[in-house]
Amino acid sequence: MTAIQIDSVEKSYKGFKALKGVSLSIEEGEFFGLLGPNGAGKTTLISTIAGLIRPDAGSVRIHGHDVVREFRDARMRLGVVPQELVFDPFFTVRETLRLQSGYFGIRNNDAWIDEVMHNLDLTNKADVNMRALSGGMKRRVLVAQALVHKPPVIVLDEPTAGVDVELRQTLWKFIARLNREGHTVVLTTHYLEEAQAMCQRVAMLKLGQVVALDTMPALLRRVSGSQLVVHLKSGELPGELRHLVSHDEHDNGHGNKYTLRVNDYSDVEPILARLRQSGAVIDEMQLEQADLEDIFIQIMEGK
Ligand SMILES: Nc1ncnc2c1ncn2[C@@H]1O[C@H](COP(=O)(O)OP(=O)(O)OP(=O)(O)O)[C@@H](O)[C@H]1O
Ligand SMILES: [Mg+2]
């Protein structure tokens, strides 16, 4: 079944087109990444999915339920972690989560609330008022709030912004577990290495349009090759290898450093052999694989 069906969604703010006809279909059980630079329209799209803003045109359905016409049915199936931190400062963490359960008409939810708090390392803050929490802890509560009704579809808008390394790992472990148990996960993040590690499929948004949509392995294959960085203790790069240079930094008193474009490992051996022949002595070398960040930059620069 399709978890989220987005059809030709358009949204303008006072004449400014934040979404210019976005269509995406996210299948049940997917771990999907929604990436794009600041202002690309990610939060606008997520707010449309959550039924918080009405699109000017197009539609969104969650498990078949239209987010405008069948708001309640759609909302029940969706947990959203918003980008902005908004809370009632006078409630404790547990009260906040109980209230949210009540909003979804769920009573006696304490066992699940305890489990969520435990998994997000919030148990010892359960009776602390929201206003007394640090920013990172508030974000954990936002995540917990999105999960109180065990929604089959979870959408996280930059859940790890301002969150320390330890919690990021805790959070990813928990989200990965929920995904393994069948929950659909949609994630936006500016930490591309997190997206690369977690997401099976990615859409990239730019100026309100989808400019790339592919599986992670297919995206990673798109970028042209890798880079071999060689630092020579002595000697120079032979002339016939010059055309491979993507940039070189010359002698800074420690020899010459060159960055060469290579397609794969099989290109490396002949380069090393040629360097040896020419009498150059290698001090250090590294093969750097292209990653999601390289592809993101290529796509955003329209290359
Ligand atoms: N309430 C609003 N009123 C006017 N313009 C808005 C409003 N909300 C968003 N925009 C504009 O719409 C565009 C898309 O914003 P959006 O918040 O969706 O971007 P984003 O991809 O989530 O960016 P970020 O990575 O910074 O969170 C931006 O140009 C933004 O200024
Ligand atoms: Mg945003």
Side-chain angles (χ1 to χ4, degrees), residues 236 242 248-253 255-258:
E236 292 235 343
R242 280 256 146 226
D248 50 353
E249 296 155 41
H250 274 291
D251 201 344
N252 52 5
N256 293 324
K257 190 174 168 186
Y258 304 93

Side-chain angles (χ1 to χ4, degrees), residues 42-43 83 157-158:
K42 305 178 297 295
T43 298
Q83 183 171 10
D157 196 351
E158 293 187 42

Side-chain angles (χ1 to χ4, degrees), residues 240-291:
E240 71 264 34
L241 295 180
R242 280 256 146 226
H243 69 283
L244 296 174
V245 172
S246 61
H247 67 260
D248 50 353
E249 296 155 41
H250 274 291
D251 201 344
N252 52 5
H254 308 285
N256 293 324
K257 190 174 168 186
Y258 304 93
T259 303
L260 309 177
R261 282 182 304 272
V262 293
N263 287 317
D264 50 45
Y265 285 104
S266 64
D267 286 352
V268 175
E269 210 345 82
I271 293 173
L272 297 184
R274 187 64 199 90
L275 278 167
R276 226 177 0 250
Q277 254 176 19
S278 75
V281 180
I282 297 172
D283 191 22
E284 252 177 65
M285 60 169 250
Q286 282 158 285
L287 188 64
E288 293 173 352
Q289 289 297 339
D291 59 14

Side-chain angles (χ1 to χ4, degrees), residues 19-36:
L19 296 176
K20 302 172 183 165
V22 172
S23 296
L24 283 174
S25 172
I26 298 164
E27 296 307 312
E28 221 179 323
E30 271 200 279
F31 204 124
F32 191 91
L34 186 61
L35 309 179

